């Protein structure tokens, strides 16, 4: 009933040779995504360290920096410098919890156990800190 198409697709002829640009594998894309989420979590962790210094946050920041460097083939991540305005600690913990959750999802999809464990630990720590600040302020 229908005649088969005998010419090449317009899309394939317009694209030309697709080997002109580099392609990344799924694993490379996930590495880039995971490094980005962990770097963002590191930035929030550095903000928290500036607002309320603690040994737990210092250790977490170092572990996060190590993971980002590993995923970026040894390149150290940029570290955040404390800004003049100090946001509420609960808002920072909430943002850190969300970022750790995103990192956990990507780490799980790429089967990166070390990053997944670190992200889960950070989620737990920030959830506990949020609960503590809500208990102290009576918000909840």
């Amino acid at each position: 009933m229908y005649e088969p198409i005998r010419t090449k697709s317009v899309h394939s002829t317009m694209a030309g040779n697709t080997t002109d640009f580099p392609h990344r594998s799924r694993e490379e894309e996930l590495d880039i995504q995971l490094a980005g989420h962990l770097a963002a979590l590191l930035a929030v962790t550095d903000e928290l360290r500036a607002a309320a210094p603690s040994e737990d946050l210092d250790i977490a920041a170092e572990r996060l920096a190590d993971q980002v460097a590993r995923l970026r083939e040894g390149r150290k991540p940029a570290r955040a410098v404390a800004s003049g305005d100090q946001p509420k600690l609960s808002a920072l913990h909430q943002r850190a919890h969300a970022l750790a959750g995103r990192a956990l999802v990507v780490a799980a999809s790429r089967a990166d156990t070390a990053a997944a464990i670190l992200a889960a630990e950070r989620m737990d720590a920030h959830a506990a800190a949020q609960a503590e600040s809500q208990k102290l302020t009576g918000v909840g």
Side-chain angles (χ1 to χ4, degrees):
M1 182 166 171
Y2 291 104
E3 184 175 338
I5 298 172
R6 296 183 183 175
T7 60
K8 286 189 175 184
S9 166
V10 174
H11 300 289
S12 65
T13 57
M14 288 180 66
N17 188 1
T18 57
T19 60
D20 292 345
F21 55 93
H23 293 279
R24 285 187 274 233
S25 68
R26 180 176 187 275
E27 290 77 22
E28 290 171 323
E29 289 293 338
L30 289 173
D31 282 350
I32 292 167
Q33 198 174 61
L34 180 56
H37 289 315
L38 291 175
L41 179 56
L42 175 60
V44 175
T45 302
D46 282 341
E47 284 186 62
L48 280 165
R49 288 175 57 221
S54 78
E55 186 177 344
D56 177 53
L57 289 173
D58 292 342
I59 293 168
E62 287 308 312
R63 290 178 63 203
L64 287 165
D66 290 344
Q67 288 296 319
V68 172
R70 178 182 62 86
L71 291 165
R72 291 184 176 166
E73 299 171 350
R75 292 182 313 232
K76 298 260 186 214
R79 300 296 296 261
V81 178
S83 59
D85 58 333
Q86 293 295 327
K88 288 178 52 176
L89 287 179
S90 62
L92 286 174
H93 283 295
Q94 185 176 9
R95 190 177 337 151
H97 185 270
L99 288 166
R102 290 184 193 125
L104 178 59
V105 169
V106 177
S109 71
R110 87 178 270 290
D112 187 332
T113 307
I117 290 171
L118 177 58
E121 288 173 357
R122 295 319 308 152
M123 282 184 74
D124 290 345
H126 293 296
Q130 278 182 291
E132 183 65 28
S133 70
Q134 287 175 350
K135 195 169 24 172
L136 291 174
T137 60
V139 178

